[in-house]
Amino acid sequence: MLTALALNGLGLGGESESSVPAATGSPSASPPSAPFTVSARQDGDDGGCTALEDRISSPRDRAEIVTGGDVAGVVRRHHGARAGELTTELTVEGGTQPLTITSIDIEPEQPSPAPPFSGTLLCEASAGGEPKIQLYADLDSTRPVFLNGKGSADRYFDEHVVTLAPGEQVNLSATFVAAKGSREFRLVVRYVRNGKEGAVPVPAPSGSRYAVTGYAAEYKAVYSGSPNGGFRLEDDSRPCRWSPAAPC
């Protein structure tokens, strides 16, 4: 499965106990000195698509994709990004003292989105789950922030805070959406403890990154997941089956 084999290698997930084989990178973890722990992971069965900037031309890389081998390595080498949207599960666990999380900031690596990736598209069927706290962010915007939900203009952390008791665990689901461009970004949790403000980064798994791209109108190659666990090359180079906006 692409999601189960490649997402952590993309930097799109991590877990405090063990990384989802969305590749083989070490899981994300907050610094040891932080007053609480925060980690990110990507579920292995949410399906969807991953886009690469260029077409896969290496016979070795093509073989890995078709057979369902080291897809994570291929995606990582070609700087892939989730297409359309990226959903990341965040787990925050309180330390020895109570504190309040006042915001989770999105810090793009670029001031504005780059064009969508249009090289290779790898897709498989989706299956969902229901998170505890839902956050939504539009990465096409100049200054993306978390909103109350898709279609909402209300900033989540203008109306909400997350209060952590010692040892308490809170799960959040953050969905990052891109329709027009591609973006790499960082996540930073800001908090108040004993009247003092602080910040803790949410690192992606080792050797990976947080990134999302809109769908291109057409790709140099489109692969879809096959029953044998690998991927098959599609005849149509448009993302018709996965992107509602595709001109098909």
Side-chain angles (χ1 to χ4, degrees), residues 5-227:
L5 290 173
L7 292 180
N8 272 3
L10 281 175
L12 307 183
E15 201 166 36
S16 57
E17 295 182 359
S18 62
S19 58
V20 183
T24 55
S26 300
S28 67
S30 53
S33 59
F36 58 90
T37 61
V38 55
S39 61
R41 65 180 176 84
Q42 180 73 28
D43 284 336
D45 58 357
D46 68 341
C49 300
T50 295
L52 314 183
E53 291 186 274
D54 53 3
R55 178 170 186 159
I56 301 302
S57 57
S58 158
R60 173 192 168 191
D61 286 349
R62 288 201 303 267
E64 296 286 7
I65 291 173
V66 171
T67 62
D70 185 15
V71 180
V74 175
V75 170
R76 186 169 54 249
R77 287 193 294 275
H78 291 270
H79 307 291
R82 288 295 276 172
E85 66 178 49
L86 158 68
T87 299
T88 300
E89 307 298 327
L90 302 175
T91 298
V92 185
E93 185 170 344
T96 59
Q97 300 181 44
L99 56 84
T100 298
I101 293 174
T102 56
S103 73
I104 301 176
D105 293 352
I106 303 164
E107 300 182 348
E109 298 287 354
Q110 311 92 355
S112 59
F117 294 176
S118 59
T120 301
L121 189 68
L122 305 171
C123 295
E124 61 186 9
S126 299
E130 192 64 30
K132 182 178 180 182
I133 299 176
Q134 294 180 321
L135 307 174
Y136 173 87
D138 180 2
L139 268 294
D140 287 326
S141 64
T142 304
R143 295 182 178 179
V145 297
F146 282 121
L147 305 174
N148 283 334
K150 191 170 185 178
S152 173
D154 298 328
R155 298 159 64 109
Y156 183 88
F157 288 102
D158 281 354
E159 304 175 4
H160 304 85
V161 295
V162 178
T163 301
L164 279 178
E168 181 182 7
Q169 182 172 293
V170 174
N171 298 311
L172 307 95
S173 180
T175 298
F176 307 93
V177 175
K180 301 176 182 178
S182 58
R183 213 82 174 272
E184 183 177 358
F185 57 94
R186 299 181 299 273
L187 292 178
V188 177
V189 177
R190 301 196 181 278
Y191 67 93
V192 174
R193 185 180 67 163
N194 295 330
K196 296 182 179 180
E197 297 181 349
V200 173
V202 188
S206 177
S208 56
R209 61 183 188 154
Y210 296 111
V212 63
T213 177
Y215 284 96
E218 191 170 357
Y219 292 85
K220 297 180 177 66
V222 174
Y223 291 83
S224 61
S226 61

